[in-house]
Amino acid sequence: MDRYSFDDIHRHENSKHSLFDVLVLALSVVVFIASIGVMIYVDRSNEKSVSVIPAFKLAMNEGRYDDALEMYRNLQETVLEANPNDSNEQIKKDVATMGEMEAIVEEQFNQLTATMLSERYELNSKDITFLSEMHEIVSYFVGGWMNNLCEDFILGKLEKPDAVFIFNQMLLVDNLTYLVNPLFAELDSIEKSQGNCEIAENYYNNGDYVQSVQAYQAVADNASGFVLDFALSRVNEIKEIMHQPMIDEGEHMLDRFQYYSAEELFSDLAVIFPDDQRINSDLLEATSHTVETGEYNGTVQVLCIRQLIADNEVAFGVAHVETNEDLFLTTSEFEKILEQLYQNNYVIVDAEGLADLSNTGYLVEQSLVVPVGKKPVVLVIEALDYNVHNISSGCCSRLVLNDQNQICGEYTDALGNTVVSRKSEAIGILDEFIEEHPDFSYNGAKGVISLCGYEACFGYVVDEDELDDRNQALTSNGFASISLSAEEIAANRTTVQNIASVLSDSGWKFASSTYGNINAAEADMETIQADTQKWNNQIGSLLGEVHIIVYPGGNYIKGTDDRANYLKSLGFRIFMGVGANPYYIYGDNYLYYDRNLINASLMRTRDYSDLFDVQYCYDEDRNTELN
């Protein structure tokens, strides 16, 4: 046996390590060289992908379509041969390059077809060569383009002679006839469906999605080929567009007690989406709150009040007794009047319900629809401006929104505390009453709020022009004047807009009582114009569309008067005067109502027995007793 010394063993181990190091070094060199090779290959491939586009463009510009198509096919072949499961960056680049080539061809195709449409351009030999030799790519676009032409034709956007001209031009390209001929053969059948499809599309453009879907479905039921495909496509598109927004709209109606409108909407949706459980559930909720309705052709009560006395202790314990007695109801009186009206089968209706105002040139009479057995009543809250004179009389000083976005009145009680409550003003009281008795309102109607503007709007100074009047009223009633910056006035305008938006959304309508609370009957044209302009600019601009004028003191302008014609030209087409008996009449592009005033003084002298029991409603806190 050979014996090794320690040195021999050590030398043997060193020789083994040297061999290993050499192998590692050699392998590293091989990997490095291979990496360089891959990088060179990738760079050359990238360079090839990038450089082919200029060459493709040049071939297209020079009409060398065979060369251009060959470049496209080479890339296509590489892509098709690649393993779809491999993550190959070069293949992705090749696909992107093919997309660029297709876009170049598409741009030339679009320019050519646009000229054909706009100028009735006839294809020349170069155009036909382009379409024919590049048909492998062009065919991607021809089908869609021809389909779009037929869509324009069926919707009346393209005349038939123009459509025929385009089809005949495209038939000059032999290898595209297989795409053109089938649609060309359908032009006559497309023309026959044109009118019905235009009607359906007009419904869609006007936002009447239900009618649009029904109209397109009727077209599809009697069609085949392109017309069938187009009609069904539009049905599906519109159904997708309308589904969620219309459910939201209907559920908003339910929240606002507009049960009859919601029932109609969800009934239509249930036909279009029969298996939608949410729609069926919402329809059930709506129908559970509706009853049989019918046209009503009798008299219409229009009841008019002013702001309410919120604090009896303040109102009847100071020197403003006569004013309060003459003008205002207490909150208790108003609540009891609502109870009595409800018990006597009255239902609140929209003041605009008797008139179709959709055409500005003429007003169309229409009958009220109310639940069978109910009698209609319109409620008007007049001049809800909150002028200074009433601040210390137990009345509210302004409207505010609470943290639930509900309308409240704000007032100062006998102890000097600021109180915010829905129960302190007629708006909140009626809103709460309808929440408890939804059937007291037909389809969510509330009432009409009329506004002047010379001092404030809802208790807020909304224009610099009001500030002088407000300060004069403040100092006259023992209060300090105020100073408001432009920013503060702008903030007040925003507040009023927010309040008005909540009111409008919940069923309340707005009216003008003239800016200066003027005697309109005795005012000349210049005064009417100046007053109306101020009202529109300062008050109306915060409220949205306003069609009603509640004439102060009942001093109305006859509807045939030039001053009335001026008001009608600005959109005011429902006029309200004053009269103890229910009365309305249609005139030339307007509707006139008499409104029946209710206040403490009249409760002591006027017969309201057909509406409510005065003895029950009259507030015992008043200093003046009933006769």
Side-chain angles (χ1 to χ4, degrees), residues 137-196:
I137 300 177
V138 166
S139 61
Y140 294 163
F141 320 124
V142 171
W145 180 65
M146 301 301 293
N147 195 75
N148 289 340
L149 285 175
C150 289
E151 288 185 7
D152 285 345
F153 178 46
I154 203 169
L155 294 177
K157 300 176 183 178
L158 182 68
E159 298 293 333
K160 187 174 184 180
D162 294 328
V164 171
F165 169 80
I166 296 295
F167 275 96
N168 282 329
Q169 290 298 302
M170 295 303 292
L171 286 173
L172 297 174
V173 186
D174 291 339
N175 52 4
L176 292 178
T177 55
Y178 75 98
L179 291 171
V180 179
N181 266 326
L183 283 175
F184 195 16
E186 290 194 64
L187 278 188
D188 287 342
S189 65
I190 293 173
E191 184 179 26
K192 291 178 181 177
S193 299
Q194 188 180 67
N196 290 332

Side-chain angles (χ1 to χ4, degrees), residues 107 111 128 142 205 214 221 232 242 308 351 362 371 378 435 461 470 495 511 527 538 574 594:
E107 182 180 3
Q111 290 174 349
I128 294 172
V142 171
N205 291 331
Q214 292 173 340
D221 291 342
L232 289 179
M242 69 186 284
L308 303 182
Y362 56 87
V378 173
E435 289 166 12
V461 174
R470 188 67 163 182
T495 298
T527 301
Q538 297 181 30
I574 298 179
D594 266 341

Side-chain angles (χ1 to χ4, degrees), residues 298-300 302 351 354-355 357 363-366 556-560 568 573-577 581-595:
T299 59
V300 178
V302 180
L354 279 169
L357 305 175
L363 178 146
V364 178
E365 302 177 15
Q366 58 185 27
Y556 68 95
I557 303 173
K558 291 184 178 180
T560 55
K568 286 184 283 185
R573 299 161 71 193
I574 298 179
F575 304 144
M576 292 189 178
N581 298 313
Y583 173 78
Y584 71 87
I585 190 172
Y586 295 100
D588 180 17
N589 196 21
Y590 73 93
L591 168 63
Y592 174 85
Y593 287 104
D594 266 341
R595 66 189 192 277

Side-chain angles (χ1 to χ4, degrees), residues 81 92 229 419 432 434 534 601:
E81 289 177 353
K92 293 178 182 178
D229 293 341
V419 180
E432 282 196 3
I434 291 174
K534 288 179 72 173
S601 176

Side-chain angles (χ1 to χ4, degrees), residues 76-322:
Q76 188 180 54
E77 184 177 352
T78 302
V79 171
L80 291 175
E81 289 177 353
N83 187 337
N85 296 320
D86 292 343
S87 178
N88 191 320
E89 291 298 321
Q90 183 55 43
I91 294 302
K92 293 178 182 178
K93 290 185 173 66
D94 289 343
V95 171
T97 302
M98 288 175 62
E100 289 187 59
M101 292 176 171
E102 292 165 2
I104 292 168
V105 175
E106 184 178 17
E107 182 180 3
Q108 185 169 334
F109 175 79
N110 288 342
Q111 290 174 349
L112 177 60
T113 53
T115 307
M116 291 169 62
L117 274 171
S118 61
E119 302 176 13
R120 276 216 171 198
Y121 174 76
E122 296 184 1
L123 298 178
N124 58 36
S125 59
K126 291 182 179 179
D127 301 325
I128 294 172
T129 300
F130 159 65
L131 293 170
S132 179
E133 295 189 12
M134 296 302 293
H135 74 279
E136 190 170 315
I137 300 177
V138 166
S139 61
Y140 294 163
F141 320 124
V142 171
W145 180 65
M146 301 301 293
N147 195 75
N148 289 340
L149 285 175
C150 289
E151 288 185 7
D152 285 345
F153 178 46
I154 203 169
L155 294 177
K157 300 176 183 178
L158 182 68
E159 298 293 333
K160 187 174 184 180
D162 294 328
V164 171
F165 169 80
I166 296 295
F167 275 96
N168 282 329
Q169 290 298 302
M170 295 303 292
L171 286 173
L172 297 174
V173 186
D174 291 339
N175 52 4
L176 292 178
T177 55
Y178 75 98
L179 291 171
V180 179
N181 266 326
L183 283 175
F184 195 16
E186 290 194 64
L187 278 188
D188 287 342
S189 65
I190 293 173
E191 184 179 26
K192 291 178 181 177
S193 299
Q194 188 180 67
N196 290 332
C197 286
E198 284 186 56
I199 291 172
E201 198 66 16
N202 284 336
Y203 283 135
Y204 171 76
N205 291 331
N206 291 329
D208 194 342
Y209 299 141
V210 171
Q211 289 274 58
S212 182
V213 167
Q214 292 173 340
Y216 269 124
Q217 188 62 58
V219 171
D221 291 342
N222 296 284
S224 61
F226 170 84
V227 176
L228 173 62
D229 293 341
F230 172 73
L232 289 179
S233 173
R234 288 301 287 145
V235 166
N236 292 330
E237 289 170 357
I238 298 168
K239 284 172 68 174
E240 184 174 351
I241 290 169
M242 69 186 284
H243 182 257
Q244 191 59 50
M246 292 197 71
I247 289 177
D248 292 342
E249 180 184 355
E251 290 177 348
H252 189 72
M253 291 176 180
L254 293 176
D255 291 340
R256 297 299 181 267
F257 313 107
Q258 297 170 358
Y259 295 117
Y260 293 88
S261 294
E263 180 181 24
E264 182 179 359
L265 186 149
F266 284 122
S267 294
D268 290 336
L269 288 180
V271 173
I272 296 171
F273 304 100
D275 300 322
D276 193 302
Q277 294 304 310
R278 182 175 173 183
I279 290 173
N280 290 328
S281 175
D282 286 336
L283 176 58
L284 181 61
E285 181 181 351
T287 55
S288 67
H289 289 89
T290 59
V291 296
E292 182 184 358
T293 61
E295 287 191 358
Y296 179 88
N297 297 308
T299 59
V300 178
Q301 288 279 0
V302 180
L303 305 183
C304 181
I305 65 171
R306 287 190 170 238
Q307 64 185 104
L308 303 182
I309 294 172
D311 192 304
N312 286 4
E313 185 177 352
V314 173
F316 304 127
V318 297
H320 294 82
V321 175
E322 290 187 6

Side-chain angles (χ1 to χ4, degrees), residues 476-487:
S476 297
N477 286 272
F479 297 99
S481 62
I482 59 175
S483 176
L484 295 175
S485 67
E487 290 75 16

